[in-house]
Amino acid sequence: MSEFAKLAQDFVEATSLLVGQRTINIMDQKGIIIASTEKHRIGDFHQGAAEVLETGKPVLIKIEDLPRYPGTKEGYNMPIFLNDEIIGVVGIFGCEEEVQSIANLLRVYVTQSFSQLQMTQKQNLEAELRNQLLRLLLFGGSSQKEMIENLCGMLNLQLDFPIRVILLHESAIGRHMKHLQDYSQLIQNLIWKNVLDRRRDVFGIQNADYVILLGGGESPEMQKRLDKLLHEIEAEDVWNAAVSSPCRNLEEISAGMREVSVLRNRKGGTIQNLEEHSCRMQYLLGSM
């Protein structure tokens, strides 16, 4: 069973309880039942769904219509639209008088549910692509330039040098990796506040820490974003942060990662920023 079919099966079983445990089916774009409260029907062809897919309109099947619709039962069959495209059909069992009032509500409910599922899948895909890009930038360098360019194109992202490597690691002891659950919310908040920019920043998880590649060159706007980011991190009281010196090309990003990794293992306060003179001097003395 595909992941989509499994999610559809979970949906029909949960929704059936909301409509008096009536039979609910979900059919794919070929009219095949992929999820049903009557599991023995999964894999059967549904003639009513095929008509919905052909016309784009709901099909009501009455008991006297059953001979014309093999593999069906009486009830309403309605198209599921996503982005103006039919992605499947949802059907609910019952005579017209019993189900007419809830049929359209079911259609709205299933459409919203699958729309949310699509959005979640899109977000998960973007997060995975960003993690792949992050790994290549940190450890691949110019040898992976073509792949880096391809991933940037897929994400509609333009690297803007110089870039700062910022490593976030948990400041509390014994949090049992709870910070991994907090990360997506932190990133989303930073995006909402215009601190992070999906079009030029790369961010993701590396070895249970968070790494942000903050782009924007040396403009005042970039410095403002960096200051705001560090302020947000201090306010959270969950993470420590290490900031590299400016990385002016692909090769220097891996060097920036080495810098923040060294800072991570030092005791230097909540924020360690190599662009600050005192932090820079301590780093150089430690290296010597």
Side-chain angles (χ1 to χ4, degrees), residues 170 173-179 181:
E170 58 179 331
I173 298 175
R175 281 170 50 80
H176 304 293
M177 307 300 282
K178 181 182 180 298
H179 62 299
Q181 302 171 19

Side-chain angles (χ1 to χ4, degrees), residues 169 173 240 262-272 282:
H169 57 98
I173 298 175
N240 291 333
V262 171
L263 292 175
R264 185 197 190 288
N265 295 322
R266 295 176 62 243
K267 292 183 178 180
T270 302
I271 304 293
Q272 298 186 77
Q282 291 176 9

Side-chain angles (χ1 to χ4, degrees), residues 191-245:
I191 293 171
W192 286 338
K193 294 178 180 180
N194 296 319
V195 178
L196 292 183
D197 186 344
R198 292 182 181 275
R199 298 167 298 175
R200 53 180 168 173
D201 300 331
V202 184
F203 35 83
I205 299 173
Q206 280 295 316
N207 299 324
D209 293 328
Y210 311 127
V211 179
I212 298 172
L213 304 185
L214 194 71
E218 297 178 331
S219 66
E221 187 267 344
M222 185 276 166
Q223 187 60 50
K224 184 177 179 180
R225 288 203 302 136
L226 176 59
D227 292 342
K228 198 171 180 179
L229 171 61
L230 297 181
H231 175 75
E232 292 288 338
I233 291 170
E234 286 183 302
E236 286 283 336
D237 195 31
V238 173
W239 294 282
N240 291 333
V243 184
S244 76
S245 52

Side-chain angles (χ1 to χ4, degrees), residues 99-223:
V99 298
Q100 188 175 24
S101 62
I102 61 174
N104 283 327
L105 289 176
L106 178 61
R107 176 167 57 175
V108 171
Y109 182 41
V110 70
T111 300
Q112 290 179 339
S113 296
F114 280 93
S115 179
Q116 183 62 45
L117 172 62
Q118 183 188 54
M119 181 62 69
T120 300
Q121 290 175 329
K122 181 180 178 181
Q123 291 172 344
N124 290 341
L125 175 60
E126 180 183 338
E128 179 56 33
L129 290 176
R130 283 185 179 275
N131 269 323
Q132 289 184 27
L133 176 59
L134 179 65
R135 285 192 292 269
L136 290 176
L137 289 169
L138 293 178
F139 309 115
S142 58
S143 64
Q144 298 291 333
K145 186 176 181 179
E146 183 177 354
M147 179 61 75
I148 288 171
E149 289 176 351
N150 289 338
L151 286 171
C152 285
M154 295 172 68
L155 291 165
N156 193 28
L157 184 150
Q158 179 67 50
L159 296 174
D160 191 1
F161 291 94
I163 284 172
R164 275 74 172 174
V165 181
I166 302 168
L167 185 146
L168 309 183
H169 57 98
E170 58 179 331
S171 58
I173 298 175
R175 281 170 50 80
H176 304 293
M177 307 300 282
K178 181 182 180 298
H179 62 299
L180 291 176
Q181 302 171 19
D182 300 336
Y183 175 60
S184 60
Q185 186 61 54
L186 170 70
I187 291 299
Q188 195 60 58
N189 289 339
L190 293 174
I191 293 171
W192 286 338
K193 294 178 180 180
N194 296 319
V195 178
L196 292 183
D197 186 344
R198 292 182 181 275
R199 298 167 298 175
R200 53 180 168 173
D201 300 331
V202 184
F203 35 83
I205 299 173
Q206 280 295 316
N207 299 324
D209 293 328
Y210 311 127
V211 179
I212 298 172
L213 304 185
L214 194 71
E218 297 178 331
S219 66
E221 187 267 344
M222 185 276 166
Q223 187 60 50

